[in-house]
Amino acid sequence: MTKKDDIVQGEGTKSGGLSRRGFLGATALAGIGGATGLGSLVMTRESFAAAAEEARNNYVVHPGELDEYYGFWSGGHSGEVRVMGVPSMRELMRIPVFNVDSATGWGITNESKDVLGHDNTFLNGDAHHPHVSMTDGRYDGKYLFINDKANTRVARIRLDIMKCDKITTVPNVQAIHGLRLQKVPKTNYVFCNAEYVIPHPNEGSDMENMENHFTMFNAIDAETMEVAFQVIVDGNLDNTDADYTGRYACSTCYNSEKALDLAGTMRNDRDWAVVFHIERIEKAVKDGSYKTIGDSKVPVLDGRKGSDFTRYIPVPKNPHGLNTSPDGKYFMAAGKLSPTVTIIAIDKLDDLFAGNLNEERDVVVGEPELGLGPLHTTFDGRGNAYTTLFIDSQVAKWNIEDAIRHYNGEQVDYLRQKLDVHYQPGHNHASLTESRDADGKWLVVLSKFSKDRFLPVGPLHPENDQLIDISGEEMKLVHDGPTFAEPHDCILVRRDQIQTKKIYERDDPFFASAREQAEKDGITLEADNKVIRDGNKVRVYMTSIAPQFMLTEFKVKQGDEVTVYVTNLDTIEDVTHGFCMVNHGVSMEISPQQTASVTFTADKPGVHWYYCNWFCHALHMEMVGRMLVEKA
């Protein structure tokens, strides 16, 4: 017979006892099991450990084997995107976006500055929400988009080369947070929320009159990366998602109070989920029925309460996550300060906008109570949802249709399982879950604290990614992984949905500016090794092939502005070269068939060595050259 103090929901304490939270959680689940036949989900510590071990053994990715999924992790405060293999949880690559990266030269090379802006003054980023472009509601593997909350930007990454190729600064707003993509017919728009209200015009006057403060929902053209339109809303925008018709997007909205203090933002029992009618907005823009703000030419529409473009659905309380179920039926708004998730029926939105419903809440078809601090919801494609509970440090698995039946008065339990995670989970993400193809295999939970899970590394602790097997009836924790601040969110894409290049094509637009300059100078990038002087501007063209630069010495004068172009002639994948000029803050990566360039001032007379800083050959150490700087 099972002893009460051996019952666990997730993982027991190492001392053999049970935490208060674990005890209460297990007791609650035992009650559910007795009522619904879920008693098999109440596990002893031994059975939990055995189940987890079985899951780990079944999904080991051995050396030389490939993962089933690409995982794209937001790099948080680092401003980058991390590429992971799932289920191995091996880090494959880091894609610099809003940060400076000395390994690849991002933020140093001219090609990266073409993207970041040559006058870029921001050396930081706060990358939150990575999302992959879609065609007909399925990942097409073309682009990945991610926001920079710190500096109000949105970036696009080409997934064929895993490089950022466009960055857009969104005007008229501050702090782009929630970001999702239009799913059908394809990703025409990147929908993104600006979180904080600001006065308009924001020029230092009338800063105390909150009536003049607002923020906006924004749509960016996915191909041109230009802002297509902005919609003014009431309150602070949080997260967002789109439906599977192309007609609607929905955003959670907190601080309906327009308060400037913490207590004030929590006065109201309900805030809103704001639904945007994309077709009506597009028509208004096409008809010219909009205004502009300041110097920006972006169409701005008023979507505050009473607008034809929006509807405000009251939901509790300071809502956070907004997620669309993969069957396209529901928007889910997590309550954060309420133990509930609000289920909004998308097929009722036409009637809502047509005025055929008595009130906005008529589109709500369920509101299950799950636990303390619900933040984000993901799905397995089998009718189940998984919601992170920040305060409880748990993931709640629940059945959507049962939750709706319960809301309608039926005596049915919708909770299937609660699993302890460590600790305070924010986002969670199941494999393929934002697309029609949600396959219910893996769930990643991104926890904000790790406490004692890993070796101590000083006052700043790592955070914790956990991998959970959701392929069966029980959730099974199979992996803990420390991660640097702050991973925030991720997305899992099947490996066959991403088609990467092995080497660059010579006409790749990523280095088009280098080719354009070379043509002006009469240079063939693949063949010439020459120095071009244009006043005090010097352009140095060189090729490389392992293990040598084909130009091993060049002369310039002190004070010259020097631009070095290196073209890697190697055609074998993996044979990447680097160029590092000693004591000049210059380094960059040049992959096979790529051209990369960097500009610097030769302000120090004398001999300055440059070398290949990406290991490429047995004679890699000998791959060097000299810059000779004549004294002015």
Side-chain angles (χ1 to χ4, degrees), residues 11 56 73 82 84-91 94 421-423 443-455 461-468 477-488 490:
E11 177 175 283
R56 280 192 289 269
W73 260 247
R82 298 186 183 114
M84 306 282 284
V86 177
S88 74
M89 301 297 283
R90 299 181 295 210
E91 184 176 287
R94 295 188 179 191
V421 293
H422 305 276
Y423 301 85
L443 172 68
V444 173
V445 176
L446 296 95
S447 296
K448 303 302 185 185
F449 299 94
S450 62
K451 303 292 186 187
D452 54 358
R453 305 289 287 184
F454 310 113
L455 284 172
H461 289 209
E463 299 180 22
N464 188 14
D465 292 341
Q466 294 189 298
L467 182 68
I468 297 168
L477 176 64
V478 298
H479 175 84
D480 269 355
T483 186
F484 186 58
E486 179 197 33
H488 202 85
C490 69

Side-chain angles (χ1 to χ4, degrees), residues 336-350:
K336 192 167 75 175
L337 298 186
S338 165
T340 57
V341 169
T342 302
I343 306 173
I344 298 167
I346 294 173
D347 65 4
K348 292 179 178 285
L349 296 179
D350 286 350

